[in-house]
Amino acid sequence: MAAATERRPEAEAGDEASSPQWAGVATRLGEGEDAPVRPLCKPRGICSRAYFLVLMVFVHLYLGNVLALLLFVHYSNGDESSDPGPQNHAQSSRAMPTLGPLTRLEGIKVGYERKVQLVTDRAHFIRTLSLKPLLFEIPGFLSDEECRLIIHLAQMKGLQRSQILPTEEYEEAMNTMQISQVDLFQLLDQNHDGLLQLREVLAQTRLGNGRWMTPENIQEMYSAIKADPDGDGVLSLQEFSNMDLRDFHKYMRNHKAESSELVRNSHHTWLYQGEGAHHVMRAIRQRVLRLTRLSPEIVELSEPLQVVRYGEGGHYHAHVDSGPVYPETICSHTKLVANESVPFETSCRYMTVLFYLNNVTGGGETVFPVADNRTYDEMSLIQDDIDLRDTRRHCDKGNLRVKPQQGTAVFWYNYLPDGQGWVGEVDDYSLHGGCLVTRGTKWIANNWINVDPSRARQALFQQEMARLAREGGADSQPEWALDRAYRDARVEL
């Protein structure tokens, strides 16, 4: 099989009680009822509210509206339960359509295989790779010819660098940032011991210019801006307060990041799969529809196919595909119809379906650092200068790695179920990354299935898209759906 599983001693893969392979809960949202948008992450770890705030300070420092969000959330954080946000008010006067439960494949146990019929002329076998996250592998999901066609179409369209360093517009943003350094220190100090350890800084910041920071990088920066007089790599509140954050950003701006130092080193493009697309692209989407057993409306209104090329030296450090949804955020795919004013948007991806388009000569595995661990703790990812999220240096220490094999697909769920047939919390165990490509080139493609954690808002989105399609035809489709340049392409395979 294409998967090589390596687990830490604490990992376990317990059997689940026998149950239907495709599970759904029959609970439906009542007519006109809008469940409040709730935080999808527990107040800890990679999806914690503190992480969310700090991430927006650093990663989106250049956007003034995000700085305003930081202040808004920070100073209103004491009364989160009084009002779940504008989501409940914007649609209260409209009758909401109802949506059935989301289907979800049961993992049963690691290594379990089942036979499915996704195409007419052959059977496929789905193998469970892990239970946390629910992760599966399907060899031969795509034919070699389909893989070559996808690569060819992507090359015809042209690929762009996946990560672009931001501009230097942060000076103005810095001047508008009013949060005190004491408050910022308290957000970063996860264990509340009054000291900033290197791993606390690393856990909370993948900094604003897109660099992937290592312990060595942090210590070098401390030394350059004279933030750590005793050189022990630990900052007290007094040392942090004495530091001028402008010196920090000046240092980062003046040190040009190499591609190997970025969070992601790859090129990508998007290929349209909707009505009128190339017949192979349509066939793949229909195959994904049969695989997920989700409604056609959800699958057809999801993102187009992303095609990614990793050259030699390419990588993608460990991450989750879906962002946390708080009352101050909204999903990217439903924002146009939500009629809500919120300062920040995030990707809401219920499922990831990843296709390997070629065999990779060296490296390039997909790593799940904490798959099937008994417990998850954000801080435990960084121990003794080993950062399990660092896919350039520590992929071999992850619990599970999947070796690229042409035509194989892997898919997983980015959210836990909520017990009512809909989206629950972000699954921390879905943390994954692309290991360093040591030889050759790696081609993959991603189909993300978008679902809004607000059941009513997802229903409204689908209703509005259907209405626009009836009234306006092709002109009503989302912006990304307008790319039809290669719908009639005929390619020699």
Side-chain angles (χ1 to χ4, degrees):
M1 302 299 289
T5 61
E6 297 186 7
R7 288 183 172 78
R8 295 174 173 272
E10 68 269 23
E12 64 179 4
D15 292 2
E16 294 182 357
S18 178
S19 59
Q21 294 179 3
W22 292 93
V25 182
T27 306
R28 291 175 178 266
L29 185 66
E31 186 73 24
E33 180 183 355
D34 187 0
V37 176
R38 62 207 178 283
L40 293 182
C41 303
K42 298 174 184 177
R44 55 159 178 77
I46 198 168
C47 293
S48 68
R49 203 175 188 89
Y51 177 86
F52 175 69
L53 299 180
V54 174
L55 189 68
M56 289 200 298
V57 172
F58 288 106
V59 177
H60 301 280
L61 184 60
Y62 309 94
L63 303 178
N65 64 337
V66 177
L67 295 173
L69 171 61
L70 176 68
L71 296 175
F72 168 75
V73 177
H74 181 70
Y75 292 112
S76 63
N77 201 31
D79 187 18
E80 296 179 11
S81 61
S82 61
D83 188 351
Q87 288 87 346
N88 288 340
H89 307 298
Q91 299 158 3
S92 59
S93 61
R94 300 187 239 184
M96 293 294 106
T98 59
L99 295 179
L102 297 171
T103 54
R104 187 178 181 92
L105 183 62
E106 292 288 349
I108 311 300
K109 65 180 180 179
V110 172
Y112 181 81
E113 290 191 357
R114 73 206 75 197
K115 182 178 178 181
V116 293
Q117 195 78 32
L118 302 175
V119 294
T120 56
D121 57 345
R122 61 165 297 191
H124 287 85
F125 289 88
I126 301 177
R127 178 171 179 256
T128 302
L129 297 185
S130 74
L131 300 178
K132 299 190 301 183
L134 268 179
L135 170 66
F136 306 90
E137 175 190 58
I138 315 175
F141 186 89
L142 299 178
S143 68
D144 292 352
E145 292 77 12
E146 289 171 330
C147 291
R148 290 198 293 269
L149 173 65
I150 293 172
I151 293 174
H152 197 116
L153 290 177
Q155 290 172 326
M156 288 173 64
K157 183 175 180 183
L159 292 87
Q160 63 184 22
R161 183 173 289 279
S162 299
Q163 182 174 332
I164 305 297
L165 294 181
T167 64
E168 299 179 359
E169 296 175 352
Y170 66 82
E171 292 290 352
E172 180 179 351
M174 281 296 298
N175 291 333
T176 65
M177 181 174 160
Q178 299 299 317
I179 186 171
S180 72
Q181 284 183 232
V182 172
D183 291 334
L184 186 56
F185 181 92
Q186 292 173 345
L187 287 174
L188 289 167
D189 182 17
Q190 284 202 337
N191 61 6
H192 307 295
D193 65 351
L195 297 172
L196 277 190
Q197 313 287 339
L198 279 175
R199 63 176 184 161
E200 288 178 310
V201 178
L202 289 171
Q204 298 283 33
T205 59
R206 292 310 181 209
L207 301 176
N209 69 349
R211 293 172 187 254
W212 180 264
M213 301 300 289
T214 64
E216 296 83 4
N217 296 148
I218 295 289
Q219 288 182 305
E220 179 183 329
M221 179 190 66
Y222 284 172
S223 176
I225 65 176
K226 298 179 173 56
D228 183 20
D230 52 13
D232 62 354
V234 178
L235 297 186
S236 66
L237 175 58
Q238 185 62 50
E239 288 171 333
F240 188 83
S241 299
N242 291 340
M243 182 174 65
D244 191 334
L245 291 181
R246 289 173 296 185
D247 290 340
F248 158 73
H249 289 288
K250 182 178 179 181
Y251 172 86
M252 297 302 297
R253 181 179 59 177
N254 291 339
H255 285 70
K256 185 177 183 296
E258 302 294 332
S259 59
S260 61
E261 298 174 315
L262 299 178
V263 172
R264 182 179 188 180
N265 180 18
S266 63
H267 291 76
H268 75 275
T269 192
W270 302 88
L271 296 180
Y272 174 62
Q273 292 182 283
E275 293 295 337
H278 189 282
H279 68 93
V280 172
M281 304 304 295
R282 287 297 296 159
I284 293 171
R285 171 156 280 181
Q286 293 304 309
R287 206 173 307 160
V288 169
L289 177 62
R290 289 190 288 273
L291 171 69
T292 63
R293 298 194 183 181
L294 294 167
S295 73
E297 293 80 10
I298 286 178
V299 175
E300 291 287 3
L301 291 173
S302 292
E303 295 169 66
L305 186 73
Q306 185 195 58
V307 184
V308 188
R309 182 188 72 228
Y310 295 89
E312 193 166 303
H315 71 276
Y316 195 172
H317 290 304
H319 59 283
V320 292
D321 282 346
S322 273
V325 177
Y326 296 117
E328 301 84 20
T329 70
I330 196 169
C331 297
S332 300
H333 74 287
T334 56
K335 66 173 183 176
L336 295 178
V337 300
N339 191 29
E340 299 166 15
S341 177
V342 293
F344 190 71
E345 66 181 75
T346 188
S347 298
C348 299
R349 294 162 171 168
Y350 175 62
M351 292 180 66
T352 296
V353 186
L354 185 153
F355 313 104
Y356 297 111
L357 303 180
N358 72 322
N359 299 313
V360 183
T361 306
E365 300 93 344
T366 303
V367 63
F368 292 81
V370 294
D372 280 333
N373 264 12
R374 285 193 180 95
T375 60
Y376 176 88
D377 177 16
E378 172 75 5
M379 296 307 298
S380 69
L381 293 170
I382 308 170
Q383 297 285 349
D384 300 324
D385 291 337
I386 294 177
D387 187 345
L388 292 178
R389 297 167 302 180
D390 189 331
T391 60
R392 293 187 66 85
R393 302 198 292 181
H394 302 304
C395 253
D396 61 323
K397 298 176 179 64
N399 283 1
L400 181 138
R401 298 191 304 278
V402 182
K403 182 178 176 59
Q405 183 171 331
Q406 187 178 46
T408 292
V410 291
F411 70 96
W412 64 90
Y413 297 88
N414 294 303
Y415 294 95
L416 300 170
D418 69 346
Q420 298 179 338
W422 205 249
V423 172
E425 297 176 349
V426 171
D427 189 347
D428 294 329
Y429 293 91
S430 68
L431 184 74
H432 66 283
C435 297
L436 177 68
V437 177
T438 57
R439 291 180 60 195
T441 301
K442 170 186 172 183
W443 286 89
I444 64 168
N446 293 299
N447 259 151
W448 285 298
I449 309 302
N450 301 116
V451 175
D452 195 310
S454 166
R455 201 169 189 168
R457 194 161 57 203
Q458 178 71 30
L460 175 64
F461 168 70
Q462 293 177 199
Q463 181 186 61
E464 288 298 295
M465 290 296 101
R467 182 185 64 79
L468 291 172
R470 290 192 302 269
E471 296 177 359
D475 292 339
S476 67
Q477 305 230 6
E479 289 182 14
W480 48 257
L482 299 179
D483 182 10
R484 299 162 178 264
Y486 302 105
R487 64 181 179 182
D488 299 318
R490 296 293 181 266
V491 181
E492 292 295 328
L493 298 176

